[in-house]
Amino acid sequence: MALATSIGMLSVVGFNLVDTFFIAQLGVEELAAISFSPTIIFSLSSLTIGLGIGLSVVISKATDKNMESERQKICTYSILLSLIFSCLFAVLGAATIDPVFSLLGASGAVLEHVNNYMLVWYLSMPLLVLPIVGNSAIRGIGNAKFPAMIMLFSSVMNLILDPILIFGLGPIEGMGIVGAAWASMVARLVSTLVAVYYLYHKVNLLTLSFSPMKEIWLVWQKVLRIAIPVGATRILTPLSMGGVTMIVAQHGDAAVAAFGVGSRIESVSMIFVTGLSVVIGPFIGQNLSNGLFDRIEASTNYGIKFCIIWGVFNALFFVVFAEHIGALFSDNSQVIEYSAFYMYIIPISLIGLACQIIASSICNPLGKPFIALKLSMIRMWAFCIPFVLIANYFGGGIHGIITGLLIANILSGAVAVITVKRIQNKVLVKERAKVLYGNSKTVSIS
Protein backbone atom coordinates (compact mmCIF):
# COMPACT_ATOMS: atom_id res chain seq x y z
CA MET A 1 0.00 0.00 0.00
CA ALA A 2 2.77 2.43 0.90
CA LEU A 3 4.66 1.61 -2.30
CA ALA A 4 1.72 2.45 -4.58
CA THR A 5 1.01 5.63 -2.64
CA SER A 6 4.67 6.63 -2.72
CA ILE A 7 4.88 6.27 -6.50
CA GLY A 8 2.01 8.74 -6.88
CA MET A 9 3.54 11.15 -4.39
CA LEU A 10 6.93 10.80 -6.06
CA SER A 11 5.42 12.10 -9.27
CA VAL A 12 4.11 15.20 -7.47
CA VAL A 13 7.51 15.89 -5.92
CA GLY A 14 9.05 15.10 -9.30
CA PHE A 15 7.19 18.10 -10.74
CA ASN A 16 9.15 20.41 -8.49
CA LEU A 17 12.47 18.61 -8.85
CA VAL A 18 12.26 18.57 -12.66
CA ASP A 19 11.41 22.28 -12.66
CA THR A 20 14.40 22.94 -10.40
CA PHE A 21 16.77 20.97 -12.64
CA PHE A 22 15.87 22.78 -15.86
CA ILE A 23 15.47 26.24 -14.31
CA ALA A 24 18.92 25.86 -12.74
CA GLN A 25 20.35 25.87 -16.25
CA LEU A 26 19.09 29.44 -16.70
CA GLY A 27 21.26 30.90 -13.92
CA VAL A 28 21.61 31.49 -10.18
CA GLU A 29 18.96 34.23 -10.07
CA GLU A 30 16.34 31.96 -11.64
CA LEU A 31 17.35 29.10 -9.34
CA ALA A 32 17.10 31.40 -6.33
CA ALA A 33 13.65 32.53 -7.51
CA ILE A 34 12.35 28.97 -7.74
CA SER A 35 13.87 28.25 -4.33
CA PHE A 36 11.54 30.79 -2.70
CA SER A 37 8.44 28.99 -4.02
CA PRO A 38 8.45 25.68 -2.04
CA THR A 39 7.17 27.37 1.13
CA ILE A 40 3.99 28.56 -0.61
CA ILE A 41 3.62 25.56 -2.92
CA PHE A 42 4.06 22.95 -0.17
CA SER A 43 1.82 24.91 2.23
CA LEU A 44 -1.07 25.05 -0.23
CA SER A 45 -0.43 21.43 -1.25
CA SER A 46 -0.64 20.44 2.43
CA LEU A 47 -4.10 21.99 2.70
CA THR A 48 -5.11 20.12 -0.46
CA ILE A 49 -3.79 16.83 0.93
CA GLY A 50 -5.78 17.50 4.10
CA LEU A 51 -8.96 17.80 2.03
CA GLY A 52 -8.03 14.63 0.16
CA ILE A 53 -7.44 12.64 3.35
CA GLY A 54 -10.72 13.92 4.80
CA LEU A 55 -12.56 12.80 1.66
CA SER A 56 -10.88 9.38 1.56
CA VAL A 57 -11.74 8.68 5.22
CA VAL A 58 -15.39 9.75 4.85
CA ILE A 59 -15.95 7.90 1.57
CA SER A 60 -14.28 4.73 2.87
CA LYS A 61 -17.12 4.41 5.39
CA ALA A 62 -19.69 4.27 2.59
CA THR A 63 -18.52 1.19 0.72
CA ASP A 64 -21.70 -0.93 0.87
CA LYS A 65 -23.34 -1.64 -2.47
CA ASN A 66 -26.53 0.15 -1.44
CA MET A 67 -24.62 3.36 -0.66
CA GLU A 68 -23.65 4.27 -4.23
CA SER A 69 -25.70 7.49 -4.17
CA GLU A 70 -24.07 8.49 -0.87
CA ARG A 71 -20.58 7.94 -2.31
CA GLN A 72 -21.44 10.08 -5.32
CA LYS A 73 -22.61 12.94 -3.12
CA ILE A 74 -19.56 12.75 -0.84
CA CYS A 75 -17.14 12.79 -3.76
CA THR A 76 -18.96 15.44 -5.82
CA TYR A 77 -19.51 17.85 -2.94
CA SER A 78 -15.94 17.40 -1.69
CA ILE A 79 -14.54 18.21 -5.13
CA LEU A 80 -16.84 21.25 -5.24
CA LEU A 81 -15.41 22.34 -1.87
CA SER A 82 -11.84 21.88 -3.09
CA LEU A 83 -12.63 23.86 -6.25
CA ILE A 84 -13.98 26.76 -4.20
CA PHE A 85 -10.94 26.77 -1.92
CA SER A 86 -8.46 26.51 -4.79
CA CYS A 87 -10.03 29.41 -6.71
CA LEU A 88 -10.00 31.61 -3.59
CA PHE A 89 -6.36 30.76 -2.88
CA ALA A 90 -5.45 31.36 -6.52
CA VAL A 91 -6.95 34.86 -6.55
CA LEU A 92 -5.53 35.75 -3.13
CA GLY A 93 -2.11 34.36 -4.00
CA ALA A 94 -1.86 36.14 -7.35
CA ALA A 95 -2.76 39.44 -5.68
CA THR A 96 -0.13 39.12 -2.94
CA ILE A 97 2.95 37.79 -4.76
CA ASP A 98 5.09 40.89 -4.18
CA PRO A 99 4.45 41.41 -0.44
CA VAL A 100 4.58 37.70 0.45
CA PHE A 101 7.80 36.90 -1.38
CA SER A 102 9.41 40.17 -0.36
CA LEU A 103 8.73 39.11 3.22
CA LEU A 104 10.44 35.79 2.49
CA GLY A 105 13.52 37.71 1.31
CA ALA A 106 13.20 37.94 -2.48
CA SER A 107 14.18 41.23 -4.10
CA GLY A 108 15.33 42.82 -7.35
CA ALA A 109 15.64 40.54 -10.37
CA VAL A 110 14.92 37.46 -8.23
CA LEU A 111 11.55 38.92 -7.15
CA GLU A 112 10.72 39.67 -10.79
CA HIS A 113 11.39 36.02 -11.73
CA VAL A 114 9.26 34.89 -8.76
CA ASN A 115 6.42 37.11 -9.99
CA ASN A 116 6.51 35.64 -13.50
CA TYR A 117 6.59 32.04 -12.28
CA MET A 118 4.08 32.23 -9.42
CA LEU A 119 1.43 34.17 -11.38
CA VAL A 120 1.02 31.25 -13.80
CA TRP A 121 1.33 28.73 -10.94
CA TYR A 122 -1.51 30.37 -9.01
CA LEU A 123 -3.73 30.43 -12.09
CA SER A 124 -3.19 26.68 -12.48
CA MET A 125 -3.90 25.91 -8.82
CA PRO A 126 -7.39 24.41 -9.39
CA LEU A 127 -5.73 21.97 -11.80
CA LEU A 128 -3.37 20.94 -8.99
CA VAL A 129 -6.12 20.51 -6.41
CA LEU A 130 -8.75 18.60 -8.40
CA PRO A 131 -6.58 15.56 -9.32
CA ILE A 132 -5.25 15.27 -5.74
CA VAL A 133 -8.73 15.30 -4.20
CA GLY A 134 -10.20 13.11 -6.94
CA ASN A 135 -7.42 10.55 -6.56
CA SER A 136 -8.02 10.50 -2.80
CA ALA A 137 -11.64 9.50 -3.48
CA ILE A 138 -10.43 6.64 -5.67
CA ARG A 139 -8.07 5.48 -2.89
CA GLY A 140 -10.96 5.69 -0.46
CA ILE A 141 -12.79 2.92 -2.33
CA GLY A 142 -9.67 0.72 -2.28
CA ASN A 143 -7.89 1.52 -5.57
CA ALA A 144 -4.36 2.82 -4.94
CA LYS A 145 -2.90 1.89 -8.34
CA PHE A 146 -4.85 4.18 -10.68
CA PRO A 147 -4.03 7.39 -8.75
CA ALA A 148 -0.35 6.41 -8.84
CA MET A 149 -0.50 5.81 -12.59
CA ILE A 150 -2.21 9.10 -13.43
CA MET A 151 0.13 11.12 -11.22
CA LEU A 152 3.16 9.39 -12.71
CA PHE A 153 1.87 10.07 -16.24
CA SER A 154 1.41 13.74 -15.38
CA SER A 155 4.97 13.95 -14.06
CA VAL A 156 6.40 12.36 -17.23
CA MET A 157 4.41 14.80 -19.34
CA ASN A 158 5.84 17.69 -17.33
CA LEU A 159 9.34 16.27 -17.85
CA ILE A 160 8.82 16.30 -21.63
CA LEU A 161 7.28 19.77 -21.79
CA ASP A 162 9.71 21.52 -19.42
CA PRO A 163 12.77 21.76 -21.70
CA ILE A 164 10.60 22.60 -24.72
CA LEU A 165 8.83 25.53 -23.07
CA ILE A 166 11.80 26.74 -21.00
CA PHE A 167 14.50 26.68 -23.70
CA GLY A 168 12.39 26.47 -26.88
CA LEU A 169 12.31 23.93 -29.69
CA GLY A 170 11.91 24.67 -33.41
CA PRO A 171 9.15 27.27 -33.87
CA ILE A 172 8.40 27.27 -30.12
CA GLU A 173 10.25 30.16 -28.49
CA GLY A 174 11.72 29.54 -25.03
CA MET A 175 9.91 31.31 -22.19
CA GLY A 176 12.51 30.85 -19.47
CA ILE A 177 11.25 30.33 -15.93
CA VAL A 178 7.65 31.00 -17.01
CA GLY A 179 7.86 28.02 -19.37
CA ALA A 180 8.21 25.70 -16.38
CA ALA A 181 4.96 27.02 -14.92
CA TRP A 182 3.14 26.58 -18.25
CA ALA A 183 4.49 23.03 -18.62
CA SER A 184 3.09 22.16 -15.18
CA MET A 185 -0.25 23.75 -16.05
CA VAL A 186 -0.65 21.69 -19.24
CA ALA A 187 0.35 18.46 -17.48
CA ARG A 188 -2.10 19.14 -14.65
CA LEU A 189 -4.89 19.94 -17.11
CA VAL A 190 -4.49 16.55 -18.76
CA SER A 191 -4.39 14.70 -15.40
CA THR A 192 -7.49 16.62 -14.26
CA LEU A 193 -9.45 15.59 -17.37
CA VAL A 194 -8.40 11.95 -16.99
CA ALA A 195 -9.28 11.92 -13.28
CA VAL A 196 -12.73 13.46 -13.86
CA TYR A 197 -13.42 10.98 -16.69
CA TYR A 198 -12.41 8.04 -14.47
CA LEU A 199 -14.48 9.27 -11.52
CA TYR A 200 -17.59 9.78 -13.65
CA HIS A 201 -17.49 6.91 -16.14
CA LYS A 202 -15.42 4.16 -14.49
CA VAL A 203 -16.13 4.22 -10.76
CA ASN A 204 -19.37 6.25 -10.79
CA LEU A 205 -18.31 8.67 -8.03
CA LEU A 206 -19.60 11.90 -9.57
CA THR A 207 -23.17 13.13 -9.97
CA LEU A 208 -24.57 16.12 -11.84
CA SER A 209 -27.59 16.39 -9.54
CA PHE A 210 -27.14 18.53 -6.43
CA SER A 211 -28.95 18.29 -3.11
CA PRO A 212 -30.12 21.27 -1.04
CA MET A 213 -27.32 23.37 0.47
CA LYS A 214 -28.03 21.97 3.93
CA GLU A 215 -27.14 18.44 2.79
CA ILE A 216 -24.03 19.68 0.97
CA TRP A 217 -22.94 21.50 4.13
CA LEU A 218 -23.28 18.28 6.17
CA VAL A 219 -20.85 16.53 3.80
CA TRP A 220 -18.45 19.46 4.02
CA GLN A 221 -18.56 19.33 7.81
CA LYS A 222 -17.62 15.64 7.84
CA VAL A 223 -14.70 16.21 5.49
CA LEU A 224 -13.44 19.37 7.20
CA ARG A 225 -13.58 17.76 10.64
CA ILE A 226 -10.69 15.59 9.48
CA ALA A 227 -9.15 17.89 6.87
CA ILE A 228 -8.53 20.89 9.14
CA PRO A 229 -6.28 19.23 11.77
CA VAL A 230 -4.54 17.11 9.11
CA GLY A 231 -3.94 20.12 6.87
CA ALA A 232 -2.75 22.24 9.81
CA THR A 233 -0.32 19.51 10.85
CA ARG A 234 1.10 19.13 7.36
CA ILE A 235 1.38 22.85 6.69
CA LEU A 236 3.67 23.50 9.66
CA THR A 237 6.68 21.80 8.03
CA PRO A 238 6.74 24.01 4.91
CA LEU A 239 6.00 27.05 7.07
CA SER A 240 9.01 26.30 9.26
CA MET A 241 11.10 25.88 6.11
CA GLY A 242 9.77 29.26 4.96
CA GLY A 243 11.02 30.82 8.17
CA VAL A 244 14.41 29.19 7.65
CA THR A 245 14.47 30.43 4.03
CA MET A 246 13.97 34.00 5.27
CA ILE A 247 17.06 33.60 7.46
CA VAL A 248 19.04 31.92 4.67
CA ALA A 249 18.18 34.81 2.33
CA GLN A 250 20.38 37.07 4.46
CA HIS A 251 23.40 35.21 3.07
CA GLY A 252 22.77 35.85 -0.63
CA ASP A 253 21.24 34.28 -3.72
CA ALA A 254 23.73 31.39 -3.83
CA ALA A 255 22.75 30.34 -0.30
CA VAL A 256 19.02 30.46 -1.16
CA ALA A 257 19.60 28.52 -4.39
CA ALA A 258 21.62 25.83 -2.58
CA PHE A 259 19.04 25.59 0.19
CA GLY A 260 16.29 25.20 -2.42
CA VAL A 261 18.19 22.39 -4.14
CA GLY A 262 18.80 20.60 -0.84
CA SER A 263 15.23 20.88 0.42
CA ARG A 264 13.73 19.65 -2.86
CA ILE A 265 16.07 16.65 -2.98
CA GLU A 266 15.21 16.01 0.66
CA SER A 267 11.50 15.93 -0.22
CA VAL A 268 12.19 13.27 -2.86
CA SER A 269 14.25 11.14 -0.46
CA MET A 270 11.40 11.35 2.11
CA ILE A 271 8.76 10.11 -0.30
CA PHE A 272 8.57 6.51 0.96
CA VAL A 273 8.31 7.72 4.55
CA THR A 274 5.44 9.96 3.43
CA GLY A 275 3.78 7.04 1.67
CA LEU A 276 4.07 4.94 4.82
CA SER A 277 2.60 7.78 6.90
CA VAL A 278 -0.49 7.85 4.66
CA VAL A 279 -1.28 4.13 5.03
CA ILE A 280 -0.17 3.38 8.60
CA GLY A 281 -3.11 5.39 10.01
CA PRO A 282 -5.86 3.36 8.27
CA PHE A 283 -3.93 0.17 9.09
CA ILE A 284 -3.92 0.98 12.81
CA GLY A 285 -7.54 2.13 12.71
CA GLN A 286 -8.68 -1.15 11.16
CA ASN A 287 -6.79 -3.26 13.68
CA LEU A 288 -8.00 -1.10 16.58
CA SER A 289 -11.64 -1.62 15.59
CA ASN A 290 -11.01 -5.37 15.35
CA GLY A 291 -9.28 -5.61 18.74
CA LEU A 292 -5.93 -6.72 17.25
CA PHE A 293 -3.82 -4.68 19.66
CA ASP A 294 -0.59 -6.63 19.20
CA ARG A 295 -0.60 -5.71 15.50
CA ILE A 296 -0.94 -2.04 16.43
CA GLU A 297 2.12 -2.21 18.66
CA ALA A 298 4.00 -4.16 15.99
CA SER A 299 3.12 -1.67 13.25
CA THR A 300 4.37 1.23 15.38
CA ASN A 301 7.62 -0.58 16.16
CA TYR A 302 8.15 -1.56 12.52
CA GLY A 303 7.40 1.99 11.42
CA ILE A 304 10.08 3.41 13.71
CA LYS A 305 12.58 0.71 12.73
CA PHE A 306 11.93 1.44 9.06
CA CYS A 307 12.67 5.14 9.68
CA ILE A 308 16.01 4.28 11.30
CA ILE A 309 17.14 1.76 8.67
CA TRP A 310 15.99 3.97 5.79
CA GLY A 311 17.68 6.98 7.38
CA VAL A 312 21.06 5.26 7.63
CA PHE A 313 21.03 4.13 3.98
CA ASN A 314 19.74 7.54 2.90
CA ALA A 315 22.61 9.28 4.71
CA LEU A 316 25.23 6.94 3.24
CA PHE A 317 23.91 7.56 -0.27
CA PHE A 318 24.20 11.34 0.05
CA VAL A 319 27.63 11.19 1.65
CA VAL A 320 28.86 9.46 -1.51
CA PHE A 321 26.96 11.49 -4.11
CA ALA A 322 26.38 14.92 -2.50
CA GLU A 323 28.80 16.93 -4.64
CA HIS A 324 27.78 15.17 -7.85
CA ILE A 325 24.10 15.89 -7.17
CA GLY A 326 24.82 19.55 -6.41
CA ALA A 327 26.76 19.87 -9.68
CA LEU A 328 23.72 18.59 -11.60
CA PHE A 329 21.70 21.63 -10.58
CA SER A 330 24.28 24.41 -10.88
CA ASP A 331 27.78 25.15 -12.11
CA ASN A 332 28.20 27.90 -9.52
CA SER A 333 30.94 26.75 -7.12
CA GLN A 334 29.30 28.36 -4.07
CA VAL A 335 25.92 26.79 -4.80
CA ILE A 336 27.60 23.39 -5.21
CA GLU A 337 29.52 23.82 -1.95
CA TYR A 338 26.47 24.87 0.08
CA SER A 339 24.15 22.23 -1.38
CA ALA A 340 26.77 19.50 -0.86
CA PHE A 341 27.16 20.53 2.79
CA TYR A 342 23.37 20.37 3.16
CA MET A 343 23.35 16.83 1.77
CA TYR A 344 26.28 15.77 3.95
CA ILE A 345 24.63 16.98 7.16
CA ILE A 346 20.83 16.85 6.90
CA PRO A 347 20.10 13.26 5.68
CA ILE A 348 21.15 11.49 8.90
CA SER A 349 18.86 13.83 10.87
CA LEU A 350 15.94 12.84 8.65
CA ILE A 351 15.62 9.76 10.86
CA GLY A 352 14.20 12.13 13.47
CA LEU A 353 11.94 13.93 11.00
CA ALA A 354 10.70 10.60 9.62
CA CYS A 355 9.88 9.36 13.13
CA GLN A 356 7.96 12.56 13.82
CA ILE A 357 5.92 12.17 10.59
CA ILE A 358 5.07 8.52 11.34
CA ALA A 359 4.25 9.32 14.98
CA SER A 360 1.89 12.11 13.90
CA SER A 361 0.07 9.73 11.54
CA ILE A 362 -0.29 7.14 14.31
CA CYS A 363 -1.97 9.69 16.59
CA ASN A 364 -4.92 10.17 14.23
CA PRO A 365 -6.46 6.65 14.40
CA LEU A 366 -5.78 6.58 18.14
CA GLY A 367 -8.21 9.48 18.48
CA LYS A 368 -5.55 12.12 19.18
CA PRO A 369 -5.31 14.23 15.98
CA PHE A 370 -4.40 17.39 17.86
CA ILE A 371 -1.42 15.65 19.47
CA ALA A 372 -0.05 15.31 15.92
CA LEU A 373 -0.55 19.06 15.46
CA LYS A 374 1.26 19.73 18.75
CA LEU A 375 4.22 17.58 17.66
CA SER A 376 4.56 19.64 14.49
CA MET A 377 4.33 22.88 16.46
CA ILE A 378 7.02 21.66 18.87
CA ARG A 379 9.33 20.90 15.95
CA MET A 380 8.74 24.32 14.41
CA TRP A 381 8.67 26.65 17.43
CA ALA A 382 10.66 24.79 20.09
CA PHE A 383 13.45 23.37 17.92
CA CYS A 384 13.65 24.42 14.26
CA ILE A 385 13.32 28.22 14.31
CA PRO A 386 15.14 28.76 17.66
CA PHE A 387 18.19 26.65 16.75
CA VAL A 388 18.47 28.23 13.31
CA LEU A 389 18.21 31.73 14.81
CA ILE A 390 20.86 30.94 17.42
CA ALA A 391 23.23 29.52 14.79
CA ASN A 392 22.71 32.54 12.55
CA TYR A 393 23.12 35.02 15.43
CA PHE A 394 26.48 33.60 16.46
CA GLY A 395 27.83 33.90 12.93
CA GLY A 396 27.46 30.32 11.79
CA GLY A 397 26.22 31.43 8.38
CA ILE A 398 24.63 28.88 6.06
CA HIS A 399 26.72 26.10 7.65
CA GLY A 400 25.43 26.99 11.11
CA ILE A 401 21.83 27.16 9.87
CA ILE A 402 22.07 23.68 8.38
CA THR A 403 23.61 22.35 11.60
CA GLY A 404 20.73 23.92 13.54
CA LEU A 405 18.27 22.01 11.35
CA LEU A 406 20.19 18.81 12.09
CA ILE A 407 19.74 19.26 15.85
CA ALA A 408 16.07 20.25 15.48
CA ASN A 409 15.20 17.15 13.43
CA ILE A 410 16.86 14.78 15.88
CA LEU A 411 15.25 16.32 18.98
CA SER A 412 11.77 16.52 17.42
CA GLY A 413 12.00 12.85 16.41
CA ALA A 414 12.93 11.78 19.93
CA VAL A 415 10.06 13.77 21.46
CA ALA A 416 7.60 12.35 18.90
CA VAL A 417 8.57 8.71 19.53
CA ILE A 418 8.34 9.09 23.32
CA THR A 419 4.99 10.87 23.02
CA VAL A 420 3.33 8.41 20.64
CA LYS A 421 4.54 5.42 22.68
CA ARG A 422 3.04 6.91 25.82
CA ILE A 423 -0.26 7.74 24.11
CA GLN A 424 -0.46 4.35 22.42
CA ASN A 425 0.10 2.51 25.71
CA LYS A 426 -2.68 4.49 27.42
CA VAL A 427 -5.13 3.94 24.57
CA LEU A 428 -4.39 0.20 24.32
CA VAL A 429 -4.68 -0.29 28.08
CA LYS A 430 -8.18 1.23 27.93
CA GLU A 431 -9.16 -0.78 24.84
CA ARG A 432 -7.90 -4.05 26.35
CA ALA A 433 -9.84 -3.30 29.53
CA LYS A 434 -13.00 -2.70 27.51
CA VAL A 435 -12.57 -6.04 25.76
CA LEU A 436 -11.74 -7.84 28.99
CA TYR A 437 -14.80 -6.52 30.81
CA GLY A 438 -17.11 -6.64 27.81
CA ASN A 439 -17.71 -2.89 27.60
CA SER A 440 -16.87 -2.44 23.92
CA LYS A 441 -18.10 -3.68 20.61
CA THR A 442 -15.56 -6.02 19.11
CA VAL A 443 -15.63 -7.29 15.57
CA SER A 444 -15.48 -11.04 15.09
CA ILE A 445 -12.90 -12.11 12.53
CA SER A 446 -13.12 -15.49 10.86
Side-chain angles (χ1 to χ4, degrees), residues 316-384:
L316 290 174
F317 173 84
F318 283 109
V319 164
V320 175
F321 296 105
E323 290 190 12
H324 301 289
I325 294 173
L328 285 175
F329 288 87
S330 177
D331 56 4
N332 183 288
S333 60
Q334 202 168 30
V335 173
I336 295 173
E337 179 199 341
Y338 288 157
S339 61
F341 184 79
Y342 186 103
M343 287 180 275
Y344 283 138
I345 297 297
I346 293 299
I348 192 63
S349 75
L350 294 182
I351 294 175
L353 179 58
C355 286
Q356 190 242 319
I357 291 173
I358 297 300
S360 296
S361 298
I362 291 171
C363 289
N364 294 324
L366 294 178
K368 307 291 182 181
F370 285 98
I371 295 295
L373 180 57
K374 288 179 181 178
L375 289 175
S376 294
M377 293 180 69
I378 287 172
R379 178 182 181 269
M380 179 177 179
W381 296 113
F383 298 133
C384 188

Side-chain angles (χ1 to χ4, degrees), residues 102-155:
S102 295
L103 181 64
L104 289 174
S107 61
V110 171
L111 181 59
E112 184 179 345
H113 289 310
V114 170
N115 241 308
N116 295 334
Y117 179 82
M118 289 304 299
L119 180 61
V120 178
W121 190 91
Y122 278 127
L123 293 177
S124 69
M125 190 176 173
L127 301 178
L128 167 70
V129 172
L130 292 180
I132 292 178
V133 176
N135 287 336
S136 296
I138 297 170
R139 288 192 197 95
I141 60 172
N143 185 345
K145 292 182 179 180
F146 180 79
M149 290 174 60
I150 188 174
M151 294 165 77
L152 184 60
F153 169 77
S154 181
S155 184

Side-chain angles (χ1 to χ4, degrees), residues 280-304:
I280 197 170
F283 179 87
I284 290 176
Q286 182 187 21
N287 283 278
L288 184 64
S289 65
N290 287 305
L292 301 175
F293 307 123
D294 290 341
R295 285 168 62 84
I296 296 173
E297 292 176 330
S299 64
T300 300
N301 292 334
Y302 280 127
I304 294 170

Side-chain angles (χ1 to χ4, degrees), residues 66-79:
N66 60 350
M67 300 183 72
E68 182 176 306
S69 176
E70 183 70 14
R71 288 197 299 272
Q72 288 179 336
K73 291 177 182 178
I74 293 171
C75 182
T76 302
Y77 302 159
S78 297
I79 287 179

